[in-house]
Amino acid sequence: MMFAKLTAPFLLLIAPAVAHAQAEDPAATQVSTLLEQRAKDVVAVFNGAKRAEEVFAEPFLAQVSPDMLIQLNSQLSAQFGPIIGVESVTPTGPFTATVAIRFERAVGRGPMTLSGEEPNFVVGLLLNDFQPIDDTLEKIQADIEALPGRASVLYAPVSGGEPILAMDENGQYAIGSTFKLYVLSALSRSIAAGEHSWDEVVRLDRSSFPSGQMQDWPEGAPVTLHTLATMMISISDNTATDMLIDVVGRDAIEAELRATGHSDPDRTLPFLSTLELFGLKGDIDRGTGYVAATEADQRRLLDEFAEEIDGNPASIMPPTFSKPTAIDTLEWFASGQDLRQLVQRMVEGGDDTALSIMAVSPGLSYAQQNKWDYVGYKGGSEPGVLNLTWLLRRDDGVARILTMSWNNTEASVDQTAFELLAQRILALEE
């Protein structure tokens, strides 16, 4: 799904909470033995020694199929080597524990939940904290260089200085929904200038395709700019985004993009709404003609397109997004350094509201969040496109950016693999 909101990275195995009868609590030793055995069973599933149906409850497998477990194991093994065994099991309740599973080059930790009914199958497993063993920037860089397509990484202080890791940080990449940070920054500047306010109320008068929820809200519903911005960043709501582009104005957002020092603004301008991009990609002949036009003609074509569709998704044929579609021509583009300069401008602008909105969905597990005083996040994806961008601050007050882009015009990219690489980068700083 285009521009889908990225889940918290490193969320590898998850099943919904399920209601179950609570049996009488067994003795502590029995609890420990049961939990340890199930942790070993999980490892056995990964190693192919047990079938998933012998270990995981049906509600779990309805969300995470046996084939998905095989795929996840393959992704983990590619990053951390083969699974070795259970490192530790720490009971946290009658049927819950924190498990640590040892791979060749890392230990993965997270909560595990068993059913309270025999045979006490696993109903929840969340490996969300990986601690690499003997990892190095050189190893991470080699793994990134081996990715199909092209990739960029910049992990550096926001205000400049020597980067911790920089790979093709000046290259232009399609960034998907991370472009919404430019909209947030332009909105923040407009509010600071007194043109708008966070509590200003507007009425929904347009919609787009998902990701998001607001496309299903009633037409004319009153919403504040704060609500629109929060929906745009936290769940990557496309309708909220297009509403804000209309409120702030395309010209103002383009001025903000230039003000950040973007190294190649012509690559992204005119600044498209999500519905416009859907329409151009859905009708590829129209999209090809748009790309070939001059910027002046592109603006004229967008005006004509706006009159034609009138903010109504039913007026266009959406793209199928079964494979990468014009990701090197019809997209929003930025380099790692461009995004660093954008984030720096937002930090130096001093708008705590904008930064608090960035922190609603921090894109890290609770265990990882606790290692930082502040975590802000925005990501973006479509087939062949992935961007992960974090604004991070520790108790020393120094803000850092980790921004990673991966483009492949030939095939979809592996989100989990890229997120694991991000976790490895962050783990080196601990």
Side-chain angles (χ1 to χ4, degrees):
M1 184 179 295
M2 188 181 185
F3 317 136
K5 171 185 176 287
L6 298 182
T7 56
F10 331 131
L11 194 105
L12 301 176
L13 307 175
I14 185 168
V18 296
H20 54 263
Q22 290 293 326
E24 184 178 348
D25 286 354
T29 54
Q30 291 176 310
V31 170
S32 179
T33 300
L34 174 63
L35 291 164
E36 288 174 5
Q37 183 57 54
R38 281 294 177 236
K40 292 176 181 177
D41 290 341
V42 168
V43 171
V45 170
F46 278 131
N47 283 334
K50 279 183 176 289
R51 296 168 55 247
E53 294 82 356
E54 298 177 75
V55 177
F56 294 95
E58 288 184 6
F60 184 102
L61 295 178
Q63 297 292 317
V64 185
S65 69
D67 286 343
M68 291 174 65
L69 289 171
I70 292 172
Q71 180 184 1
L72 288 168
N73 182 42
S74 177
Q75 291 167 329
L76 290 171
S77 297
Q79 291 290 332
F80 303 123
I83 194 167
I84 294 174
V86 177
E87 179 95 350
S88 65
V89 177
T90 305
T92 56
F95 300 102
T96 61
T98 298
V99 298
I101 296 178
R102 174 66 184 267
F103 294 79
E104 183 180 55
R105 298 189 298 274
V107 176
R109 293 182 174 83
M112 178 181 70
T113 303
L114 307 185
S115 168
E117 298 177 346
E118 294 185 357
N120 306 113
F121 281 158
V122 176
V123 296
L125 177 63
L126 179 61
L127 298 181
N128 59 2
D129 186 15
F130 283 82
Q131 298 298 316
I133 298 169
D134 297 327
D135 207 1
T136 65
L137 284 175
E138 291 74 21
K139 291 178 182 178
I140 296 171
Q141 185 167 342
D143 287 344
I144 293 171
E145 290 172 345
L147 296 172
R150 51 193 290 262
S152 166
V153 177
L154 180 62
Y155 186 32
V158 166
S159 298
E162 198 67 25
I164 300 162
L165 178 61
M167 299 176 62
D168 196 22
E169 69 277 19
N170 293 309
Q172 290 291 309
Y173 286 78
I175 60 172
S177 277
T178 302
F179 88 89
K180 294 166 184 175
L181 289 178
Y182 285 103
V183 181
L184 179 64
S185 185
L187 172 63
S188 174
R189 294 282 168 174
S190 179
I191 289 172
E195 299 167 347
H196 296 285
S197 64
W198 287 111
D199 59 2
E200 177 183 339
V201 175
V202 296
R203 294 188 178 274
L204 291 181
D205 62 0
R206 67 196 61 234
S207 61
S208 185
F209 293 99
S211 57
Q213 300 173 356
M214 298 187 78
Q215 72 278 355
D216 298 322
W217 288 21
E219 183 178 357
V223 290
T224 65
L225 300 189
H226 190 290
T227 296
L228 290 172
T230 303
M231 296 290 278
M232 175 180 70
I233 300 299
S234 66
I235 66 169
S236 211
D237 194 293
N238 288 331
T239 293
T241 303
D242 286 2
M243 283 290 301
L244 287 175
I245 291 174
D246 181 65
V247 168
V248 178
R250 195 194 312 267
D251 290 347
I253 297 170
E254 292 177 347
E256 181 66 12
L257 182 138
R258 291 190 179 96
T260 65
H262 194 291
S263 58
D264 192 2
D266 291 343
R267 187 82 182 271
T268 292
L269 304 183
F271 199 95
L272 298 172
S273 70
T274 69
L275 189 59
E276 288 168 340
L277 194 63
F278 277 119
L280 293 172
K281 289 199 181 223
D283 182 350
I284 199 62
D285 289 338
R286 185 199 291 262
T288 301
Y290 174 86
V291 170
T294 65
E295 184 175 324
D297 283 340
Q298 286 178 337
R299 294 186 185 278
R300 176 181 57 79
L301 290 170
L302 289 178
D303 288 340
E304 294 174 357
F305 192 33
E307 291 184 11
E308 178 183 333
I309 63 177
D310 194 28
N312 182 5
S315 301
I316 70 171
M317 177 64 70
T320 59
F321 289 118
S322 59
K323 60 182 179 180
T325 304
I327 67 169
D328 52 353
T329 54
L330 283 171
E331 248 283 354
W332 302 273
F333 297 91
S335 70
Q337 286 288 5
D338 292 335
L339 291 171
R340 184 193 66 78
Q341 290 165 187
L342 166 63
V343 168
Q344 180 182 12
R345 182 171 167 86
M346 293 179 69
V347 170
E348 293 177 351
D351 190 332
D352 291 339
T353 300
L355 295 181
S356 67
I357 288 171
M358 276 189 69
V360 171
S361 293
L364 294 177
S365 70
Y366 288 121
Q368 294 155 344
Q369 291 175 49
N370 289 336
K371 298 167 186 173
W372 302 89
D373 275 2
Y374 170 88
V375 179
Y377 174 76
K378 187 72 190 82
S381 69
E382 66 171 286
V385 173
L386 182 58
N387 175 271
L388 314 171
T389 295
W390 285 274
L391 170 61
L392 305 155
R393 187 174 60 238
R394 283 210 167 121
D395 54 10
D396 60 5
V398 176
R400 290 179 177 172
I401 183 173
L402 172 59
T403 182
M404 305 171 60
S405 291
W406 182 9
N407 290 179
N408 187 353
T409 59
E410 302 300 321
S412 295
V413 296
D414 186 338
Q415 179 175 324
T416 299
F418 211 45
E419 291 168 345
L420 287 169
L421 285 163
Q423 180 161 3
R424 289 171 61 189
I425 293 170
L426 294 176
L428 289 177
E429 287 297 293
E430 297 170 6

